[in-house]
Amino acid sequence: MKPPTELDAPPAPDADALAADPSVENPVAGIDQAVGDFTYDVKYEFDAGSGLNENVIRYISGVKKEADWILDFRLKAYQTFLDKPMPTHWATKDLENINFDKIRYYLAQGQKPKRTWDEVPDDIKKTFERLGIPEQERKFLAGVEAQFDSEAAYSNVKDIVAKQGVIFLNSTEALREHPEIFRKWFGKVIPTGDNKFSALNSAVFSGGSFIYVPPGVKVAMPLQAYFRINAENFGQFERTLIIADEGAEVTYMEGCTAPKFSTSTLHSAVVELVALKGAKIQYITVQNWAPNVFNLVTKRGLAMEDAEIKWIDCNIGSRLTMKYPGVVLKGKRARGEVVSIALANDGQHQDTGAKMIHAADDTSSLIVSKSISVGQGRATYRGVVHIPKHLKGCKNNTECDALLINTNSRTDTYPAIVVRGDTHAVQHEASVSKVSEDMIFYMQQRGLTEAQAMSLAVNGFVNDLVRQFPMEYSVELKRLIDLEMEGSVG
Amino acid sequence: MSSTLEIRALHVALASSPDKSIVKGLDLTIRTGEVHAIMGPNGTGKSTLSKAIAGHPDYVITSGDVLLDGKSILEMEPDERARAGLFLAFQYPSEIPGVSIANFLRAAVQARMAEGEELDATAYYKRLYAKMDMLKIDRKFTSRSVNEGFSGGEKKRCEILQMAMLEPTFALMDETDSGLDIDALKIVAEGVNTLKSGSLGVLLITHYQRLLNHIVPDYVHVMYDGRIVKSGDKTLALELEAKGYDWVKTDLAAATA
């Protein structure tokens, strides 16, 4: 196993040819994805067709009535996408099963998100009602954006938050209405050429949330986006940029689902966070993709002096997830944190981790990762911690724990920690455990079925992390884990 | 209503070596309201007996039967046996990291309820706290992970707490006294005595007589080499304590000679 050579590429261990036996066609387990597994027939007003070429990009940019610089940005990114090889020299060969010619890159019913649910077309409104979004919004959210395939169908921020000067828009609106705020950081935290999929996203991005929180404003309730894939053979490429100005604080949550199609679907987002001096951003993801979704997401934050960025990331579902949220600790005393939970069930590969790039004195970072592999599921942790020689007083603590449920479950850990200099403190702990037969018997002896016992053991394993999620999400998470564990035994 | 747990000519072996019996033809009938103590030296199959009755996957029952109110339980899963009224107080209770006692017991209580029936959380906590008070367990315990980092005595008290909450018909108590100091022993014994005054049948497995000073058995059985070789009332325990297990062995040798 070799450590990665370049920092901006995903951490690269050995060329791993073990994964993705092409003779096995995505052996989808009989898990209950029922919550998200439904579609309504939707008529699309805007459709870029299948496959990708310059015309598709011009079409997307055209219907969005974008400024020239954005079209240029897209076309350059498309070239980068074509030039970049698939990262299969370190990542799974399953990536080769993505057929870029079959994907539909842009599908939208309208261009402007509605500000009230009443205005949202019925079929789309029904979808989000079934997912409980309007209800959550009423209960505990400061603002919601609901994206349906390529565009937001609904976007609204509560008055009280808007009055504080908080901007919460989709990427198209934000770049058009507030270029002075967003252009400065757009594509700066994650450059187009960071990896093949960040380039693809830069070429065809649509939707996502652009948020600006003015200096000193602390948004009390979370802002939420919900990403819904409805169409078959579709690629969703949302783009999110959150800027917390000096001393500002914001929590953002995203949820994702898609129905179970027989063909594969691609979700490839780029999420950039900028926390200016003393600002705090907390970014929470609970994804529950259907088991045929390729989920290839690039997420990174830039933390300035005394700023704090925390990623809380929960990956359930999908066929393959590759995601390594990172923080570049650019200012003194900046703090970065990644807390992640991954559950890989039969036919799924959760390849997740974290990157902490220390670039100033006295910066500190924390990575806590827990993964669960069920059946033939595979969980991989990849991490990069980088502390260069010229810095002083940096700290990192990494902890990754894996839980294997069945004897054929698999977990791999590839931590790459590069620390130079002699004033830093770095700690790494890793563990692999199994749910013991005795523990299951003990619980069964108290009257729980084997499946209930397994669920409880798994929930216990992630319990300390789940508690960091907002209440509504932790309840949801527990329920999702219960569903995933059904049928995992016997 | 009284119930019966009947063990008939039971033979038990390890699942990994089914040819080698550990329990070799054991007969015993326990009725609710009765306390049976099984005593005997190490390695005679006492713990094996209790685990096999509860359905531990490491053991196989090669012949014989276990009947609960006349119905064989051998085809039942361990959790079905538990819900049917069988409780095993473990000699070495498992730790369940991240699962609090309150949540664990709640799941176990819920598992006994009919489908669609909702647990009344207020009533549940009220009952839990009452049982904890009875066993002199600090209420802070409810939020601790099951058995994780518990002392030997805490683990045993936690077993009795679970028993008190789940109200079994028959309790198999596997060396519940081991690892307890005298104060803890008294508390545990008081707990068991309170429970058995209801309709509980107890099979008490122990090495030592001292537990039997506090939980007075109706019957004492001596187990040796996989069988019950001697039965009597509580005086048998005292006799054993005075004479030691060698007495049983010589007795046995004399009887078979």
Side-chain angles (χ1 to χ4, degrees):
Chain A
M1 194 180 82
K2 288 191 304 266
T5 45
E6 58 177 302
L7 286 171
D8 276 340
D14 53 345
D16 193 338
L18 279 165
D21 176 1
S23 65
V24 182
E25 205 186 66
N26 187 23
V28 171
I31 46 160
D32 191 346
Q33 293 272 347
V35 205
D37 190 15
F38 61 90
T39 44
Y40 294 112
D41 204 12
V42 170
K43 289 211 166 30
Y44 294 98
E45 200 182 328
F46 302 95
D47 184 347
S50 297
L52 186 58
N53 53 51
E54 276 200 16
N55 288 337
V56 167
I57 292 164
R58 285 179 194 282
Y59 174 85
I60 295 171
S61 193
V63 295
K64 288 175 174 293
K65 300 187 180 68
E66 286 179 339
D68 289 345
W69 72 267
I70 304 175
L71 178 60
D72 285 347
F73 175 87
R74 289 182 183 276
L75 292 171
K76 278 194 192 116
Y78 176 56
Q79 204 50 54
T80 309
F81 166 70
L82 293 177
D83 294 346
K84 283 239 167 205
M86 204 54 116
T88 39
H89 61 291
W90 62 270
T92 168
K93 296 262 181 296
D94 195 23
L95 287 171
E96 284 165 7
N97 293 317
I98 302 173
N99 188 342
F100 290 103
D101 294 331
K102 279 207 169 151
I103 290 170
R104 298 199 274 175
Y105 290 83
Y106 186 82
L107 283 174
Q109 211 183 30
Q111 284 301 315
K112 204 170 162 46
K114 305 295 187 253
R115 301 295 177 209
T116 68
W117 284 105
D118 286 342
E119 298 168 73
V120 174
D122 269 352
D123 36 15
I124 296 177
K125 190 167 78 177
K126 267 190 288 182
T127 300
F128 287 113
E129 269 170 1
R130 237 174 113 163
L131 295 165
I133 311 302
E135 191 193 342
Q136 288 175 11
E137 180 184 13
R138 280 192 297 274
K139 279 207 261 183
F140 70 98
L141 299 169
V144 167
E145 183 181 322
Q147 179 162 342
F148 194 83
D149 293 331
S150 293
E151 294 289 357
Y154 171 83
S155 170
N156 191 33
V157 62
K158 286 184 179 158
D159 282 348
I160 183 164
V161 182
K163 275 185 193 135
Q164 290 176 303
V166 174
I167 300 170
F168 181 39
L169 294 168
N170 68 39
S171 54
T172 310
E173 291 175 312
L175 289 172
R176 184 166 53 219
E177 291 167 32
H178 300 283
E180 76 288 355
I181 292 172
F182 292 109
R183 192 174 172 178
K184 182 177 173 195
W185 294 108
F186 176 71
K188 297 301 191 312
V189 185
I190 300 170
T192 294
D194 186 81
N195 62 74
K196 192 172 179 72
F197 292 92
S198 64
L200 176 62
N201 175 284
S202 300
V204 297
F205 73 91
S206 182
S209 307
F210 274 42
I211 295 169
Y212 172 75
V213 185
V217 171
K218 295 177 170 62
V219 186
M221 286 181 295
L223 295 164
Q224 176 174 281
Y226 200 91
F227 298 99
R228 171 69 179 175
I229 293 178
N230 189 65
E232 193 159 2
N233 283 320
F234 176 69
Q236 190 170 51
F237 305 96
E238 87 269 13
R239 182 101 193 180
T240 290
L241 172 59
I242 300 174
I243 303 165
D245 213 324
E246 294 191 1
E249 289 179 19
V250 64
T251 295
Y252 178 86
M253 309 199 293
E254 59 172 0
C256 343
T257 56
K260 192 150 71 186
F261 292 121
S262 53
T263 56
S264 59
T265 308
L266 175 62
H267 174 257
S268 189
V270 165
V271 177
E272 298 175 288
L273 309 183
V274 180
L276 296 178
K277 192 176 170 182
K280 282 185 187 167
I281 302 177
Q282 182 160 290
Y283 192 107
I284 302 166
T285 304
V286 177
Q287 69 163 57
N288 181 25
W289 289 118
N292 54 349
V293 173
F294 283 95
N295 182 45
L296 310 166
V297 171
T298 312
K299 288 180 164 169
R300 197 170 304 149
L302 191 60
M304 301 309 206
E305 203 171 289
D306 295 309
E308 199 178 301
I309 289 178
K310 181 172 183 176
W311 299 97
I312 299 181
D313 203 36
C314 177
N315 300 296
I316 293 177
S318 85
R319 166 173 172 168
L320 169 68
T321 287
M322 290 174 65
K323 190 188 338 172
Y324 321 96
V327 183
V328 179
L329 301 147
K330 190 126 172 82
K332 283 186 180 173
R333 296 173 300 279
R335 273 180 41 77
E337 197 173 330
V338 172
V339 171
S340 76
I341 298 171
L343 195 154
N345 215 319
D346 267 341
Q348 299 178 340
H349 185 179
Q350 303 284 5
D351 193 327
T352 60
K355 295 187 197 180
M356 290 296 176
I357 312 302
H358 290 254
D361 291 345
D362 302 315
T363 46
S364 58
S365 58
L366 174 67
I367 301 169
V368 185
S369 157
K370 292 203 177 191
S371 71
I372 302 137
S373 309
V374 186
Q376 294 185 50
R378 179 178 172 197
T380 302
Y381 168 83
R382 292 178 209 269
V384 166
V385 174
H386 186 259
I387 305 179
K389 195 175 177 182
H390 66 276
L391 298 183
K392 287 189 187 69
C394 298
K395 286 191 197 112
N396 165 264
N397 192 11
T398 301
E399 198 187 314
C400 41
D401 300 320
L403 184 68
L404 299 173
I405 301 297
N406 306 90
T407 46
N408 54 349
S409 312
R410 177 171 172 188
T411 184
D412 318 81
T413 303
Y414 305 117
I417 301 178
V418 178
V419 182
R420 297 195 176 86
D422 52 10
T423 62
H424 310 300
V426 175
Q427 201 177 327
H428 176 89
E429 273 178 70
S431 75
V432 179
S433 49
K434 278 211 65 171
V435 176
S436 75
E437 215 171 51
D438 275 335
M439 193 204 284
I440 295 299
F441 175 70
Y442 183 76
M443 292 194 262
Q444 277 190 281
Q445 213 303 304
R446 299 308 184 240
L448 304 179
T449 63
E450 197 178 356
Q452 286 169 337
M454 197 59 96
S455 261
L456 206 57
V458 169
N459 271 308
F461 173 71
V462 296
N463 187 39
D464 52 335
L465 300 192
V466 171
R467 270 188 294 201
Q468 300 196 35
F469 286 70
M471 225 269 282
E472 290 77 4
Y473 269 43
S474 65
V475 170
E476 170 72 1
L477 202 54
K478 280 203 161 104
R479 206 184 54 81
L480 286 176
I481 289 172
D482 287 347
L483 285 175
E484 290 284 322
M485 297 315 295
E486 269 176 20
S488 66
V489 291
Chain B
M1 204 188 78
S2 85
S3 287
T4 315
L5 181 68
E6 204 181 338
I7 303 161
R8 272 194 209 156
L10 197 70
H11 287 74
V12 183
L14 273 172
S16 54
S17 51
D19 297 336
K20 201 169 162 281
S21 284
I22 303 168
V23 173
K24 304 167 181 172
L26 188 139
D27 291 279
L28 181 64
T29 300
I30 307 168
R31 287 170 197 84
T32 42
E34 294 176 353
V35 175
H36 290 248
I38 289 194
M39 302 181 73
N42 280 328
T44 52
K46 302 190 300 294
S47 286
T48 299
L49 174 68
S50 64
K51 285 188 194 164
I53 294 172
H56 195 291
D58 282 356
Y59 300 93
V60 283
I61 289 174
T62 48
S63 69
D65 208 344
V66 179
L67 306 139
L68 185 60
D69 292 330
K71 236 184 95 202
S72 176
I73 61 166
L74 297 188
E75 291 301 311
M76 292 161 81
E77 293 293 321
D79 54 298
E80 294 174 301
R81 298 182 196 195
R83 293 195 299 272
L86 218 56
F87 183 92
L88 173 62
F90 286 70
Q91 184 180 2
Y92 303 109
S94 289
E95 297 182 0
I96 314 174
V99 179
S100 70
I101 290 179
N103 281 341
F104 180 55
L105 269 171
R106 197 178 164 146
V109 170
Q110 181 87 54
R112 284 165 173 73
M113 293 166 62
E115 197 151 335
E117 203 183 334
E118 280 292 319
L119 184 130
D120 176 348
T122 321
Y124 162 75
Y125 273 100
K126 208 174 150 192
R127 207 160 76 83
L128 178 62
Y129 288 146
K131 307 283 186 192
M132 291 177 83
D133 291 348
M134 174 184 91
L135 294 164
K136 299 190 172 59
I137 298 173
D138 193 322
R139 288 188 183 182
K140 275 184 254 164
F141 247 69
T142 50
S143 58
R144 285 180 62 181
S145 295
V146 178
N147 294 321
E148 202 181 30
F150 284 20
S151 70
E154 285 171 337
K155 280 184 184 171
K156 295 302 166 75
R157 261 190 279 176
C158 181
E159 292 292 288
I160 305 302
L161 173 65
Q162 294 177 47
M163 186 168 124
M165 286 299 286
L166 300 177
E167 297 176 335
T169 322
F170 290 99
L172 315 168
M173 305 182 68
D174 191 1
E175 300 203 16
T176 299
D177 51 335
S178 68
L180 291 185
D181 61 34
I182 190 68
D183 292 334
L185 185 73
K186 277 185 188 161
I187 294 167
V188 165
E190 262 172 54
V192 175
N193 287 329
T194 316
L195 296 174
K196 86 174 167 83
S197 64
S199 53
L200 174 71
V202 179
L203 181 67
L204 210 60
I205 291 169
T206 181
H207 280 297
Y208 304 107
Q209 139 73 20
R210 66 168 193 165
L211 178 65
L212 305 182
N213 291 332
H214 303 282
I215 305 173
V216 180
D218 300 294
Y219 303 93
V220 174
H221 310 280
V222 180
M223 194 166 166
Y224 183 73
D225 194 25
R227 287 180 202 89
I228 288 176
V229 294
K230 214 172 180 56
S231 295
D233 61 12
K234 62 182 179 185
T235 55
L236 179 58
L238 296 168
E239 203 175 346
L240 262 180
E241 183 87 344
K243 298 184 181 173
Y245 287 116
D246 283 344
W247 163 65
V248 181
K249 284 186 216 169
T250 9
D251 230 33
L252 205 61
T256 48

